[in-house]
Amino acid sequence: MHHFEYKNKELYCESVPVRDIAAKVGTPFYLYSTATLNRHFRAFDEAFTMPHITCFATKACSNIAILNLFAGLGGGADIVSGGELFRALKAEVDPRKIVYSGVGKTVDEMRFGLKSGILMFNVESEQELFTLQKVAEEMNVSAPVSFRVNPDVDPKTHAYISTGLAQNKFGIPIQGALGIYTAAQKMAHIDVIGVSCHIGSQLTQISPFVESLQKVKIFIGRLEEAGIHISYLDIGGGLGIRYDAEDPPLPAAYAEAIKNEMEGLDCILILEPGRVIVGNAGILVTKVLYTKKGGKKFVIVDAGMNDLARPSLYDAYHAIRPVIDTEEGNEVVDVVGPICETGDFLARDQEVPICESGDLLAIMSSGAYGFTMSSNYNSRPRVPEILVDGDTFYVIRKRETNEDLIAGETIP
Ligand code: LLP
């Protein structure tokens, strides 16, 4: 459930008409609802009754106002770069609730994580382990480590966002992972505290999560036999949302399945949800510039693939709704942006409201991997992010200017 609703045929975000925000900040812009963010975070977090930390996947939506909101609800952060660590700390996320994932952490990023006192590094290779040991030794500290294991489970999602298959670059194959644990146990500056696993994103079934947890549980048993006790079990993120007709499990059903599989394990659970919390808590608002008929009908809007990459990159579907519902019905069109590429579309052969130049459209379910994946391609300033709370809206990131585009550039 989200708080983007029609009142008198006009789209509101909580108590604020979307049209009013557009009049004040211009288009395009990302728009998030505080009530929805709160509700989704709580619904997820409270579904888990065992000891756990909900470490929000920063990459899904990294504005510091939003990270701060989750920190206020007791959340931590799953980060994948020094930049995300910087954001999380600025947003007052407790470093003891930060987990650092990713296959390519640099020495500088490791130093930053160690200096900040994060909960753990999810290490994904032997070479990364050796590097971390060296960095920790130089700093004369101990690095808390969890190894990300790859269970070779099919998450049944888009190929680009599957991470738990043997052919994916992520993690350490689970069958061979005991060796790295025993090696790490002997390292003076490595403190082995966890096992982690993340098999993919936008999962719409529970079974792959269960299958992977079963494999991880067997592995934890083997670790215990080898005298290695694990305090944290990180099961990653990945729970899907409804964009169109998907029917993903609710957080409560997901939590129940995890709880059943956790039976007998003495670990604190770490969760890394991203999309399920923010996906339907944000929209992208864009204005129709022109319409035209070629071989097809095109609706040309002022947002493009640089603002929302998901349709171009994953052929992802985002519902498109009118900001003012004229009740003129729908038609099948391509909604395209101003970028000079045929791959620049927000919708293809999709039923959208009949509209004309000047109309405002809402690209729904854009809260996750929307702004965070946006770019300056075609030298387009990145759009603002707006947060509504009740009857008030806040500009939580201002629109970039042309000057911002060249900041840092010089002509030698
Ligand atoms: N933990 C790790 C280690 C991850 O790699 C990810 C996502 C998450 C947690 C959060 O997954 P979520 O709960 O949001 O599914 N750009 C793509 C999604 C990429 C996901 C990458 N990893 C998209 O727009 O669909």
Side-chain angles (χ1 to χ4, degrees), residues 57 59-60 78 80 101-102 124 148 161 163 170 198 200-202 236-239 243 272-276 310 314 368-369 373:
K59 66 174 83 64
D78 157 50
V80 292
S101 310
E124 305 213 18
R148 175 166 175 183
I161 52 178
T163 54
F170 297 97
H198 168 80
S201 195
Q202 182 56 11
L239 189 57
Y243 286 97
E272 302 175 353
R275 188 188 322 259
V276 68
R310 302 194 70 257
Y314 315 112
Y369 307 105
M373 292 180 73

PDB file of all heavy atoms in Angstrom, residues 57 59-60 78 80 101-102 124 148 161 163 170 198 200-202 236-239 243 272-276 310 314 368-369 373, ligand 1:
ATOM      1  N   ALA A  57      19.356  -1.480   1.850  1.00  0.00           N
ATOM      2  CA  ALA A  57      20.310  -1.492   0.731  1.00  0.00           C
ATOM      3  C   ALA A  57      20.397  -0.090   0.134  1.00  0.00           C
ATOM      4  O   ALA A  57      19.547   0.327  -0.668  1.00  0.00           O
ATOM      5  CB  ALA A  57      19.875  -2.504  -0.324  1.00  0.00           C
ATOM      6  N   LYS A  59      21.974   1.329  -2.137  1.00  0.00           N
ATOM      7  CA  LYS A  59      21.993   1.521  -3.583  1.00  0.00           C
ATOM      8  C   LYS A  59      20.601   1.722  -4.180  1.00  0.00           C
ATOM      9  O   LYS A  59      20.456   2.311  -5.231  1.00  0.00           O
ATOM     10  CB  LYS A  59      22.687   0.337  -4.279  1.00  0.00           C
ATOM     11  CG  LYS A  59      21.925  -0.973  -4.138  1.00  0.00           C
ATOM     12  CD  LYS A  59      22.566  -2.080  -4.966  1.00  0.00           C
ATOM     13  CE  LYS A  59      23.720  -2.745  -4.259  1.00  0.00           C
ATOM     14  NZ  LYS A  59      23.343  -3.474  -3.014  1.00  0.00           N
ATOM     15  N   ALA A  60      19.578   1.253  -3.473  1.00  0.00           N
ATOM     16  CA  ALA A  60      18.221   1.376  -4.023  1.00  0.00           C
ATOM     17  C   ALA A  60      17.740   2.822  -3.995  1.00  0.00           C
ATOM     18  O   ALA A  60      17.003   3.254  -4.893  1.00  0.00           O
ATOM     19  CB  ALA A  60      17.256   0.475  -3.248  1.00  0.00           C
ATOM     20  N   ASP A  78      23.161  -1.416   4.222  1.00  0.00           N
ATOM     21  CA  ASP A  78      24.011  -2.290   3.420  1.00  0.00           C
ATOM     22  C   ASP A  78      24.642  -1.362   2.394  1.00  0.00           C
ATOM     23  O   ASP A  78      23.933  -0.664   1.670  1.00  0.00           O
ATOM     24  CB  ASP A  78      23.140  -3.368   2.750  1.00  0.00           C
ATOM     25  CG  ASP A  78      23.791  -3.952   1.506  1.00  0.00           C
ATOM     26  OD1 ASP A  78      24.965  -4.351   1.589  1.00  0.00           O
ATOM     27  OD2 ASP A  78      23.129  -4.000   0.448  1.00  0.00           O
ATOM     28  N   VAL A  80      27.893  -0.591  -0.608  1.00  0.00           N
ATOM     29  CA  VAL A  80      28.760  -1.276  -1.575  1.00  0.00           C
ATOM     30  C   VAL A  80      29.888  -0.381  -2.089  1.00  0.00           C
ATOM     31  O   VAL A  80      30.547  -0.714  -3.070  1.00  0.00           O
ATOM     32  CB  VAL A  80      27.952  -1.835  -2.775  1.00  0.00           C
ATOM     33  CG1 VAL A  80      27.048  -2.965  -2.338  1.00  0.00           C
ATOM     34  CG2 VAL A  80      27.153  -0.743  -3.456  1.00  0.00           C
ATOM     35  N   SER A 101      29.105  -4.837   1.415  1.00  0.00           N
ATOM     36  CA  SER A 101      29.106  -5.908   0.406  1.00  0.00           C
ATOM     37  C   SER A 101      29.853  -5.451  -0.853  1.00  0.00           C
ATOM     38  O   SER A 101      30.211  -4.288  -0.976  1.00  0.00           O
ATOM     39  CB  SER A 101      27.669  -6.261   0.011  1.00  0.00           C
ATOM     40  OG  SER A 101      26.862  -6.494   1.139  1.00  0.00           O
ATOM     41  N   GLY A 102      30.032  -6.369  -1.796  1.00  0.00           N
ATOM     42  CA  GLY A 102      30.603  -6.003  -3.102  1.00  0.00           C
ATOM     43  C   GLY A 102      31.901  -6.720  -3.415  1.00  0.00           C
ATOM     44  O   GLY A 102      32.716  -6.956  -2.522  1.00  0.00           O
ATOM     45  N   GLU A 124      34.241 -11.329  -0.579  1.00  0.00           N
ATOM     46  CA  GLU A 124      33.770 -12.152  -1.698  1.00  0.00           C
ATOM     47  C   GLU A 124      34.858 -12.934  -2.430  1.00  0.00           C
ATOM     48  O   GLU A 124      34.586 -13.589  -3.428  1.00  0.00           O
ATOM     49  CB  GLU A 124      33.008 -11.269  -2.699  1.00  0.00           C
ATOM     50  CG  GLU A 124      31.862 -10.499  -2.056  1.00  0.00           C
ATOM     51  CD  GLU A 124      30.684 -10.283  -2.981  1.00  0.00           C
ATOM     52  OE1 GLU A 124      30.583 -10.995  -3.996  1.00  0.00           O
ATOM     53  OE2 GLU A 124      29.873  -9.397  -2.682  1.00  0.00           O
ATOM     54  N   ARG A 148      30.727 -13.900   1.828  1.00  0.00           N
ATOM     55  CA  ARG A 148      29.518 -14.049   1.014  1.00  0.00           C
ATOM     56  C   ARG A 148      29.670 -15.341   0.227  1.00  0.00           C
ATOM     57  O   ARG A 148      30.586 -15.485  -0.578  1.00  0.00           O
ATOM     58  CB  ARG A 148      29.358 -12.871   0.068  1.00  0.00           C
ATOM     59  CG  ARG A 148      28.177 -13.040  -0.878  1.00  0.00           C
ATOM     60  CD  ARG A 148      27.854 -11.750  -1.551  1.00  0.00           C
ATOM     61  NE  ARG A 148      26.812 -11.871  -2.544  1.00  0.00           N
ATOM     62  CZ  ARG A 148      26.417 -10.859  -3.298  1.00  0.00           C
ATOM     63  NH1 ARG A 148      26.980  -9.673  -3.159  1.00  0.00           N
ATOM     64  NH2 ARG A 148      25.462 -11.023  -4.190  1.00  0.00           N
ATOM     65  N   ILE A 161      20.092  -9.209 -12.842  1.00  0.00           N
ATOM     66  CA  ILE A 161      20.009  -8.997 -11.388  1.00  0.00           C
ATOM     67  C   ILE A 161      19.945 -10.315 -10.618  1.00  0.00           C
ATOM     68  O   ILE A 161      19.548 -10.355  -9.462  1.00  0.00           O
ATOM     69  CB  ILE A 161      18.851  -8.022 -11.005  1.00  0.00           C
ATOM     70  CG1 ILE A 161      17.518  -8.443 -11.622  1.00  0.00           C
ATOM     71  CG2 ILE A 161      19.186  -6.605 -11.433  1.00  0.00           C
ATOM     72  CD1 ILE A 161      16.341  -7.538 -11.229  1.00  0.00           C
ATOM     73  N   THR A 163      22.175 -13.047  -8.813  1.00  0.00           N
ATOM     74  CA  THR A 163      23.540 -12.998  -8.262  1.00  0.00           C
ATOM     75  C   THR A 163      23.977 -14.306  -7.613  1.00  0.00           C
ATOM     76  O   THR A 163      25.139 -14.455  -7.257  1.00  0.00           O
ATOM     77  CB  THR A 163      23.659 -11.872  -7.211  1.00  0.00           C
ATOM     78  OG1 THR A 163      22.635 -12.068  -6.224  1.00  0.00           O
ATOM     79  CG2 THR A 163      23.494 -10.507  -7.815  1.00  0.00           C
ATOM     80  N   PHE A 170      29.441 -13.131  -8.152  1.00  0.00           N
ATOM     81  CA  PHE A 170      29.340 -12.866  -6.723  1.00  0.00           C
ATOM     82  C   PHE A 170      29.685 -14.043  -5.816  1.00  0.00           C
ATOM     83  O   PHE A 170      29.354 -15.200  -6.115  1.00  0.00           O
ATOM     84  CB  PHE A 170      27.928 -12.377  -6.384  1.00  0.00           C
ATOM     85  CG  PHE A 170      27.619 -11.073  -7.054  1.00  0.00           C
ATOM     86  CD1 PHE A 170      26.910 -11.044  -8.240  1.00  0.00           C
ATOM     87  CD2 PHE A 170      28.083  -9.881  -6.524  1.00  0.00           C
ATOM     88  CE1 PHE A 170      26.638  -9.840  -8.880  1.00  0.00           C
ATOM     89  CE2 PHE A 170      27.826  -8.671  -7.159  1.00  0.00           C
ATOM     90  CZ  PHE A 170      27.104  -8.650  -8.325  1.00  0.00           C
ATOM     91  N   HIS A 198      23.377 -13.367  -0.961  1.00  0.00           N
ATOM     92  CA  HIS A 198      22.324 -12.551  -1.593  1.00  0.00           C
ATOM     93  C   HIS A 198      22.166 -13.106  -3.002  1.00  0.00           C
ATOM     94  O   HIS A 198      23.106 -13.061  -3.791  1.00  0.00           O
ATOM     95  CB  HIS A 198      22.741 -11.072  -1.624  1.00  0.00           C
ATOM     96  CG  HIS A 198      21.862 -10.236  -2.507  1.00  0.00           C
ATOM     97  ND1 HIS A 198      20.625  -9.763  -2.101  1.00  0.00           N
ATOM     98  CD2 HIS A 198      22.020  -9.821  -3.777  1.00  0.00           C
ATOM     99  CE1 HIS A 198      20.075  -9.093  -3.100  1.00  0.00           C
ATOM    100  NE2 HIS A 198      20.897  -9.105  -4.121  1.00  0.00           N
ATOM    101  N   GLY A 200      19.808 -12.429  -5.485  1.00  0.00           N
ATOM    102  CA  GLY A 200      19.270 -11.670  -6.608  1.00  0.00           C
ATOM    103  C   GLY A 200      18.215 -10.690  -6.153  1.00  0.00           C
ATOM    104  O   GLY A 200      17.928 -10.579  -4.961  1.00  0.00           O
ATOM    105  N   SER A 201      17.650  -9.995  -7.115  1.00  0.00           N
ATOM    106  CA  SER A 201      16.729  -8.909  -6.813  1.00  0.00           C
ATOM    107  C   SER A 201      15.416  -9.109  -7.564  1.00  0.00           C
ATOM    108  O   SER A 201      15.387  -9.777  -8.592  1.00  0.00           O
ATOM    109  CB  SER A 201      17.404  -7.606  -7.249  1.00  0.00           C
ATOM    110  OG  SER A 201      16.774  -6.495  -6.711  1.00  0.00           O
ATOM    111  N   GLN A 202      14.369  -8.485  -7.044  1.00  0.00           N
ATOM    112  CA  GLN A 202      13.009  -8.606  -7.622  1.00  0.00           C
ATOM    113  C   GLN A 202      12.599 -10.081  -7.713  1.00  0.00           C
ATOM    114  O   GLN A 202      12.114 -10.552  -8.751  1.00  0.00           O
ATOM    115  CB  GLN A 202      12.924  -7.867  -8.978  1.00  0.00           C
ATOM    116  CG  GLN A 202      11.561  -7.855  -9.670  1.00  0.00           C
ATOM    117  CD  GLN A 202      10.402  -7.278  -8.828  1.00  0.00           C
ATOM    118  OE1 GLN A 202      10.607  -6.687  -7.783  1.00  0.00           O
ATOM    119  NE2 GLN A 202       9.177  -7.488  -9.260  1.00  0.00           N
ATOM    120  N   GLY A 236      20.885 -11.147   2.861  1.00  0.00           N
ATOM    121  CA  GLY A 236      20.767 -10.231   1.727  1.00  0.00           C
ATOM    122  C   GLY A 236      19.375  -9.626   1.593  1.00  0.00           C
ATOM    123  O   GLY A 236      18.591  -9.590   2.548  1.00  0.00           O
ATOM    124  N   GLY A 237      19.106  -9.145   0.387  1.00  0.00           N
ATOM    125  CA  GLY A 237      17.792  -8.546   0.121  1.00  0.00           C
ATOM    126  C   GLY A 237      17.120  -9.336  -0.981  1.00  0.00           C
ATOM    127  O   GLY A 237      17.291 -10.549  -1.061  1.00  0.00           O
ATOM    128  N   GLY A 238      16.371  -8.655  -1.830  1.00  0.00           N
ATOM    129  CA  GLY A 238      15.865  -9.315  -3.022  1.00  0.00           C
ATOM    130  C   GLY A 238      14.370  -9.497  -3.134  1.00  0.00           C
ATOM    131  O   GLY A 238      13.870  -9.869  -4.207  1.00  0.00           O
ATOM    132  N   LEU A 239      13.638  -9.247  -2.038  1.00  0.00           N
ATOM    133  CA  LEU A 239      12.189  -9.464  -2.123  1.00  0.00           C
ATOM    134  C   LEU A 239      11.579  -8.488  -3.135  1.00  0.00           C
ATOM    135  O   LEU A 239      11.849  -7.290  -3.097  1.00  0.00           O
ATOM    136  CB  LEU A 239      11.571  -9.268  -0.727  1.00  0.00           C
ATOM    137  CG  LEU A 239      10.114  -9.662  -0.564  1.00  0.00           C
ATOM    138  CD1 LEU A 239       9.877 -11.122  -0.939  1.00  0.00           C
ATOM    139  CD2 LEU A 239       9.648  -9.419   0.869  1.00  0.00           C
ATOM    140  N   TYR A 243       5.074  -4.342  -9.852  1.00  0.00           N
ATOM    141  CA  TYR A 243       5.142  -3.235 -10.809  1.00  0.00           C
ATOM    142  C   TYR A 243       3.916  -3.285 -11.699  1.00  0.00           C
ATOM    143  O   TYR A 243       3.387  -2.292 -12.133  1.00  0.00           O
ATOM    144  CB  TYR A 243       6.386  -3.370 -11.701  1.00  0.00           C
ATOM    145  CG  TYR A 243       7.685  -3.027 -11.013  1.00  0.00           C
ATOM    146  CD1 TYR A 243       8.501  -4.016 -10.479  1.00  0.00           C
ATOM    147  CD2 TYR A 243       8.090  -1.701 -10.899  1.00  0.00           C
ATOM    148  CE1 TYR A 243       9.701  -3.688  -9.860  1.00  0.00           C
ATOM    149  CE2 TYR A 243       9.286  -1.358 -10.280  1.00  0.00           C
ATOM    150  CZ  TYR A 243      10.085  -2.356  -9.765  1.00  0.00           C
ATOM    151  OH  TYR A 243      11.270  -2.039  -9.146  1.00  0.00           O
ATOM    152  N   GLU A 272      18.971  -7.237   4.132  1.00  0.00           N
ATOM    153  CA  GLU A 272      19.407  -6.120   3.281  1.00  0.00           C
ATOM    154  C   GLU A 272      18.340  -5.745   2.255  1.00  0.00           C
ATOM    155  O   GLU A 272      18.598  -5.746   1.053  1.00  0.00           O
ATOM    156  CB  GLU A 272      20.703  -6.500   2.541  1.00  0.00           C
ATOM    157  CG  GLU A 272      21.862  -6.894   3.433  1.00  0.00           C
ATOM    158  CD  GLU A 272      23.076  -7.375   2.628  1.00  0.00           C
ATOM    159  OE1 GLU A 272      22.968  -7.534   1.399  1.00  0.00           O
ATOM    160  OE2 GLU A 272      24.132  -7.600   3.243  1.00  0.00           O
ATOM    161  N   PRO A 273      17.139  -5.429   2.702  1.00  0.00           N
ATOM    162  CA  PRO A 273      16.092  -5.103   1.720  1.00  0.00           C
ATOM    163  C   PRO A 273      16.308  -3.723   1.101  1.00  0.00           C
ATOM    164  O   PRO A 273      16.753  -2.799   1.777  1.00  0.00           O
ATOM    165  CB  PRO A 273      14.825  -5.092   2.582  1.00  0.00           C
ATOM    166  CG  PRO A 273      15.313  -4.624   3.917  1.00  0.00           C
ATOM    167  CD  PRO A 273      16.683  -5.241   4.083  1.00  0.00           C
ATOM    168  N   GLY A 274      16.006  -3.592  -0.162  1.00  0.00           N
ATOM    169  CA  GLY A 274      16.071  -2.291  -0.829  1.00  0.00           C
ATOM    170  C   GLY A 274      14.722  -1.996  -1.460  1.00  0.00           C
ATOM    171  O   GLY A 274      13.887  -1.285  -0.910  1.00  0.00           O
ATOM    172  N   ARG A 275      14.496  -2.634  -2.598  1.00  0.00           N
ATOM    173  CA  ARG A 275      13.311  -2.363  -3.416  1.00  0.00           C
ATOM    174  C   ARG A 275      11.988  -2.468  -2.650  1.00  0.00           C
ATOM    175  O   ARG A 275      11.094  -1.647  -2.822  1.00  0.00           O
ATOM    176  CB  ARG A 275      13.308  -3.339  -4.588  1.00  0.00           C
ATOM    177  CG  ARG A 275      12.261  -3.054  -5.618  1.00  0.00           C
ATOM    178  CD  ARG A 275      12.176  -4.171  -6.666  1.00  0.00           C
ATOM    179  NE  ARG A 275      13.422  -4.742  -7.051  1.00  0.00           N
ATOM    180  CZ  ARG A 275      14.091  -4.444  -8.172  1.00  0.00           C
ATOM    181  NH1 ARG A 275      13.596  -3.576  -9.015  1.00  0.00           N
ATOM    182  NH2 ARG A 275      15.234  -5.043  -8.441  1.00  0.00           N
ATOM    183  N   VAL A 276      11.867  -3.520  -1.816  1.00  0.00           N
ATOM    184  CA  VAL A 276      10.582  -3.767  -1.163  1.00  0.00           C
ATOM    185  C   VAL A 276      10.190  -2.602  -0.242  1.00  0.00           C
ATOM    186  O   VAL A 276       9.013  -2.378   0.007  1.00  0.00           O
ATOM    187  CB  VAL A 276      10.612  -5.121  -0.409  1.00  0.00           C
ATOM    188  CG1 VAL A 276      11.544  -5.086   0.791  1.00  0.00           C
ATOM    189  CG2 VAL A 276       9.220  -5.562  -0.001  1.00  0.00           C
ATOM    190  N   ARG A 310      15.708   1.984 -15.795  1.00  0.00           N
ATOM    191  CA  ARG A 310      15.189   0.613 -15.700  1.00  0.00           C
ATOM    192  C   ARG A 310      14.487   0.101 -16.967  1.00  0.00           C
ATOM    193  O   ARG A 310      14.714  -1.040 -17.376  1.00  0.00           O
ATOM    194  CB  ARG A 310      14.267   0.456 -14.477  1.00  0.00           C
ATOM    195  CG  ARG A 310      14.961   0.802 -13.144  1.00  0.00           C
ATOM    196  CD  ARG A 310      14.172   0.339 -11.920  1.00  0.00           C
ATOM    197  NE  ARG A 310      14.208  -1.112 -11.825  1.00  0.00           N
ATOM    198  CZ  ARG A 310      13.234  -1.908 -12.153  1.00  0.00           C
ATOM    199  NH1 ARG A 310      12.093  -1.407 -12.596  1.00  0.00           N
ATOM    200  NH2 ARG A 310      13.366  -3.199 -12.066  1.00  0.00           N
ATOM    201  N   TYR A 314      16.552  -3.021 -18.339  1.00  0.00           N
ATOM    202  CA  TYR A 314      15.999  -4.351 -18.006  1.00  0.00           C
ATOM    203  C   TYR A 314      14.675  -4.627 -18.701  1.00  0.00           C
ATOM    204  O   TYR A 314      13.993  -5.580 -18.345  1.00  0.00           O
ATOM    205  CB  TYR A 314      15.747  -4.474 -16.493  1.00  0.00           C
ATOM    206  CG  TYR A 314      16.856  -3.974 -15.606  1.00  0.00           C
ATOM    207  CD1 TYR A 314      16.680  -2.838 -14.826  1.00  0.00           C
ATOM    208  CD2 TYR A 314      18.066  -4.651 -15.520  1.00  0.00           C
ATOM    209  CE1 TYR A 314      17.684  -2.388 -13.983  1.00  0.00           C
ATOM    210  CE2 TYR A 314      19.070  -4.197 -14.676  1.00  0.00           C
ATOM    211  CZ  TYR A 314      18.876  -3.067 -13.922  1.00  0.00           C
ATOM    212  OH  TYR A 314      19.863  -2.617 -13.087  1.00  0.00           O
ATOM    213  N   ALA A 368      12.802   2.806  -6.154  1.00  0.00           N
ATOM    214  CA  ALA A 368      14.014   1.989  -6.033  1.00  0.00           C
ATOM    215  C   ALA A 368      14.777   1.985  -7.350  1.00  0.00           C
ATOM    216  O   ALA A 368      14.184   1.754  -8.407  1.00  0.00           O
ATOM    217  CB  ALA A 368      13.656   0.559  -5.649  1.00  0.00           C
ATOM    218  N   TYR A 369      16.067   2.217  -7.292  1.00  0.00           N
ATOM    219  CA  TYR A 369      16.939   2.192  -8.468  1.00  0.00           C
ATOM    220  C   TYR A 369      16.459   3.179  -9.532  1.00  0.00           C
ATOM    221  O   TYR A 369      16.589   2.937 -10.726  1.00  0.00           O
ATOM    222  CB  TYR A 369      17.042   0.766  -9.036  1.00  0.00           C
ATOM    223  CG  TYR A 369      17.438  -0.235  -7.975  1.00  0.00           C
ATOM    224  CD1 TYR A 369      16.507  -1.120  -7.425  1.00  0.00           C
ATOM    225  CD2 TYR A 369      18.727  -0.268  -7.486  1.00  0.00           C
ATOM    226  CE1 TYR A 369      16.861  -2.014  -6.417  1.00  0.00           C
ATOM    227  CE2 TYR A 369      19.089  -1.159  -6.478  1.00  0.00           C
ATOM    228  CZ  TYR A 369      18.148  -2.029  -5.958  1.00  0.00           C
ATOM    229  OH  TYR A 369      18.506  -2.897  -4.966  1.00  0.00           O
ATOM    230  N   MET A 373      20.253   5.416 -10.088  1.00  0.00           N
ATOM    231  CA  MET A 373      20.869   4.968 -11.341  1.00  0.00           C
ATOM    232  C   MET A 373      20.848   6.065 -12.401  1.00  0.00           C
ATOM    233  O   MET A 373      21.215   5.829 -13.549  1.00  0.00           O
ATOM    234  CB  MET A 373      20.153   3.711 -11.869  1.00  0.00           C
ATOM    235  CG  MET A 373      20.391   2.493 -10.987  1.00  0.00           C
ATOM    236  SD  MET A 373      19.561   1.033 -11.609  1.00  0.00           S
ATOM    237  CE  MET A 373      20.562   0.631 -13.019  1.00  0.00           C
TER     238      MET A 373
HETATM  239  N1  LLP B   1      22.214  -6.798  -0.914  1.00  0.00           N
HETATM  240  C1  LLP B   1      23.065  -6.920  -1.940  1.00  0.00           C
HETATM  241  C2  LLP B   1      24.392  -7.492  -1.691  1.00  0.00           C
HETATM  242  C3  LLP B   1      22.676  -6.510  -3.222  1.00  0.00           C
HETATM  243  O1  LLP B   1      23.527  -6.644  -4.242  1.00  0.00           O
HETATM  244  C4  LLP B   1      21.388  -5.946  -3.431  1.00  0.00           C
HETATM  245  C5  LLP B   1      20.971  -5.511  -4.760  1.00  0.00           C
HETATM  246  C6  LLP B   1      20.545  -5.818  -2.315  1.00  0.00           C
HETATM  247  C7  LLP B   1      20.987  -6.262  -1.079  1.00  0.00           C
HETATM  248  C8  LLP B   1      19.177  -5.228  -2.407  1.00  0.00           C
HETATM  249  O2  LLP B   1      18.330  -5.935  -3.236  1.00  0.00           O
HETATM  250  P1  LLP B   1      16.778  -5.561  -3.325  1.00  0.00           P
HETATM  251  O3  LLP B   1      16.163  -5.858  -1.972  1.00  0.00           O
HETATM  252  O4  LLP B   1      16.651  -4.128  -3.661  1.00  0.00           O
HETATM  253  O5  LLP B   1      16.265  -6.436  -4.377  1.00  0.00           O
HETATM  254  N2  LLP B   1      19.216  -1.985 -10.571  1.00  0.00           N
HETATM  255  C9  LLP B   1      18.402  -3.182 -10.507  1.00  0.00           C
HETATM  256  C10 LLP B   1      18.537  -3.895  -9.181  1.00  0.00           C
HETATM  257  C11 LLP B   1      19.959  -4.234  -8.821  1.00  0.00           C
HETATM  258  C12 LLP B   1      20.087  -4.910  -7.491  1.00  0.00           C
HETATM  259  C13 LLP B   1      21.502  -5.032  -7.093  1.00  0.00           C
HETATM  260  N3  LLP B   1      21.706  -5.583  -5.805  1.00  0.00           N
HETATM  261  C14 LLP B   1      16.963  -2.809 -10.820  1.00  0.00           C
HETATM  262  O6  LLP B   1      16.678  -1.642 -11.071  1.00  0.00           O
HETATM  263  O7  LLP B   1      16.093  -3.680 -10.873  1.00  0.00           O
END
